[in-house]
Amino acid sequence: MSKFSLVATGGTFDILHRGHLTLLSNSFKISDNVIIGLTSDEFAKKKGKTLINNYQKRFENLTKMISNEFPNHSFHISKLENDFGPAVLKKEVEALVVSDETNNQGSILNELRSKKQLPPVQIITIPMFLAKDGQRVSTTRIKNSEIDDEGNLL
């Protein structure tokens, strides 16, 4: 039996890598039902990100990966136009799964939920997946040809 009935997580998921898989794996370990916020192209650009794949392609790649890696789990991908999307509005969300890099978002989310008279969510922080050099695996490092999507040095 799952610890939570519904959890939320999110990201840009431009080039899928081992770090994304770790975040999603931990989300599905604690709930059979996960809302995944997928950053819109516009919001990603607002955050200073240069995308390789547009929203539709990132949505397709993410859907395919989740279906292959977590076939018996229920998930919904929601377009993020802000930092939180449905995690602020859906009363049923019980936890937010974040990385070390984004764990400060938890207190902000709970503040927003409080203003809407919603119960706070539990914040689950997942350590960043590290590449072979001990630094985090990231899309930026992959784009810069420092590492591959598994964290191997190039």
Side-chain angles (χ1 to χ4, degrees):
M1 181 162 165
S2 297
K3 184 172 180 177
F4 300 101
S5 59
L6 181 63
V7 302
T9 193
T12 306
F13 300 101
D14 191 19
I15 298 173
L16 296 175
H17 54 69
R18 179 61 58 192
H20 293 130
L21 199 55
T22 300
L23 183 72
L24 292 168
S25 174
N26 280 279
S27 298
F28 287 119
K29 274 182 193 163
I30 61 170
S31 181
D32 290 328
N33 194 9
V34 178
I35 295 175
I36 300 148
L38 179 59
T39 307
S40 72
D41 293 342
E42 299 75 23
F43 189 52
K45 286 177 186 138
K46 222 187 272 186
K47 290 180 93 58
K49 297 186 182 233
T50 304
L51 299 172
I52 289 179
N53 296 298
N54 67 20
Y55 180 85
Q56 186 58 41
K57 184 65 176 166
R58 291 182 290 121
F59 182 94
E60 290 166 8
N61 291 343
L62 185 57
T63 300
K64 183 178 177 183
M65 184 188 79
I66 294 169
S67 297
N68 288 340
E69 296 288 333
F70 311 101
N72 300 320
H73 291 82
S74 176
F75 68 94
H76 173 77
I77 298 173
S78 177
K79 186 183 262 191
L80 285 181
E81 302 289 356
N82 58 51
D83 282 324
F84 302 108
V88 174
L89 304 173
K90 279 193 153 291
K91 180 182 177 200
E92 302 81 12
V93 174
E94 298 175 328
L96 178 68
V97 181
V98 296
S99 68
D100 291 336
E101 187 179 58
T102 58
N103 68 356
N104 65 323
Q105 298 290 67
S107 56
I108 298 167
L109 171 62
N110 279 330
E111 247 178 65
L112 293 170
R113 285 177 64 90
S114 174
K115 289 177 184 171
K116 296 187 180 301
Q117 278 82 48
L118 294 173
V121 297
Q122 189 167 335
I123 308 306
I124 312 291
T125 303
I126 306 303
M128 299 291 286
F129 186 83
L130 301 180
K132 300 288 188 229
D133 62 0
Q135 296 180 45
R136 68 186 185 92
V137 171
S138 72
T139 299
T140 301
R141 293 190 71 205
I142 295 168
K143 286 179 188 175
N144 291 341
S145 299
E146 295 173 38
I147 57 171
D148 65 14
D149 62 354
E150 292 291 321
N152 297 305
L153 301 176
L154 298 178

